[in-house]
Amino acid sequence: DIQMTQSPSTLSASVGDRVTITCRASQSISNWLAWYQQKPGKAPKLLIYKASSLEGGVPSRFSGSGSGTEFTLSISSLQPDDFATYYCQQYYFYPSWTFGQGTKVEIK
Amino acid sequence: EVQLVQSGAEVRKTGESLKISCKASGYSFTSYWIAWVRQMPGKGLEWMGIIYPGDSDTRYSPSFQGQVTISADKSTRTAYLQWTSLKASDIAMYYCATSTGDRVYWGLGTQVTVPS
């Protein structure tokens, strides 16, 4: 089975900081990777699909990169609304999906 | 526009059965896999299983095989997740999700509560 390893598990940062979250796949998933933001009590919100495509309506401070086994989600200038938990997901090895463990972005 | 509308929150007793639903619209229901994802309180996202409504081909995560049943009704464009005997450990939010190409679309979730 494919494993998705996300790091760090927790990240403390200040408003205005640049933040980077990493997701590693145990096998190549080409660019079939999605990034989500989740706030308490809410469904995951799609931010990035196909590793680097920004979902409509998502602020341009969010960006994704990578292919194969290593991927990153970057937030160029952290805003108060960005404090949340972020997940990566592979959807290459259909029909099985796999999620990363999540990264909680906290206020420093 | 792809939409997945999930059934409302449920409260059941231990040992009871339950079937929750996910009604799809805005795409060809029979042409794309639809998945179920569990999120236990304070925990991450877990892929439970997936169904291809076109032919009802269903796959389960080993962690959920035998614990739940996933099904789909083509006539109503609805996917289902069911339990025959709920446990206290089934307390969670359950999401359905699908990918029709590049993007992944999610329902808003169904909260299942099993008072101990």
Side-chain angles (χ1 to χ4, degrees):
Chain A
D1 288 356
I2 187 163
Q3 309 298 323
M4 303 298 293
T5 304
Q6 222 177 302
S7 60
S9 55
T10 307
L11 190 160
S12 296
S14 301
V15 172
D17 284 353
R18 179 178 180 85
V19 164
T20 299
I21 298 168
T22 298
C23 186
R24 289 188 174 89
S26 59
Q27 304 172 57
S28 176
I29 58 169
S30 183
N31 63 345
W32 292 95
L33 185 100
W35 287 100
Y36 299 93
Q37 178 192 70
Q38 189 179 36
K39 295 183 177 179
K42 299 293 187 182
K45 174 186 175 183
L46 181 67
L47 300 175
I48 303 286
Y49 61 95
K50 290 293 292 289
S52 59
S53 296
L54 191 68
E55 174 69 342
V58 174
S60 59
R61 62 180 179 273
F62 291 92
S63 64
S65 64
S67 67
T69 62
E70 188 146 344
F71 302 87
T72 59
L73 172 71
S74 297
I75 309 172
S76 60
S77 177
L78 200 64
Q79 297 302 300
D81 191 48
D82 301 338
F83 292 96
T85 301
Y86 294 83
Y87 294 95
C88 63
Q89 177 210 354
Q90 72 81 18
Y91 53 119
Y92 176 71
F93 284 98
Y94 255 96
S96 171
W97 293 357
T98 319
F99 296 94
Q101 310 95 306
T103 296
K104 185 174 184 179
V105 177
E106 299 181 326
I107 300 173
K108 192 172 185 180
Chain B
E1 178 194 5
V2 175
Q3 284 197 315
L4 299 172
V5 178
Q6 296 190 233
S7 50
E10 301 277 3
V11 180
R12 290 284 191 277
K13 296 179 181 176
T14 303
E16 291 188 336
S17 62
L18 176 63
K19 192 173 188 177
I20 62 175
S21 66
C22 171
K23 186 171 178 60
S25 62
Y27 71 100
S28 175
F29 180 69
T30 55
S31 300
Y32 299 96
W33 296 85
I34 189 164
W36 286 95
V37 176
R38 183 177 78 173
Q39 188 168 40
M40 300 177 76
K43 302 298 183 183
L45 303 169
E46 301 174 90
W47 179 79
M48 301 176 70
I50 198 166
I51 187 166
Y52 189 77
D55 61 6
S56 294
D57 186 2
T58 308
R59 314 291 176 87
Y60 294 92
S61 163
S63 300
F64 293 93
Q65 180 81 48
Q67 307 304 307
V68 296
T69 301
I70 293 170
S71 60
D73 183 338
K74 289 187 283 190
S75 67
T76 60
R77 302 172 59 88
T78 303
Y80 297 97
L81 177 65
Q82 70 179 87
W83 296 259
T84 55
S85 180
L86 283 164
K87 308 179 188 66
S89 58
D90 292 319
I91 294 174
M93 182 70 85
Y94 294 89
Y95 297 100
C96 60
T98 189
S99 177
T100 60
D102 294 345
R103 288 176 172 82
V104 186
Y105 301 90
W106 290 65
L108 294 181
T110 295
Q111 177 67 49
V112 173
T113 301
V114 186
S116 56

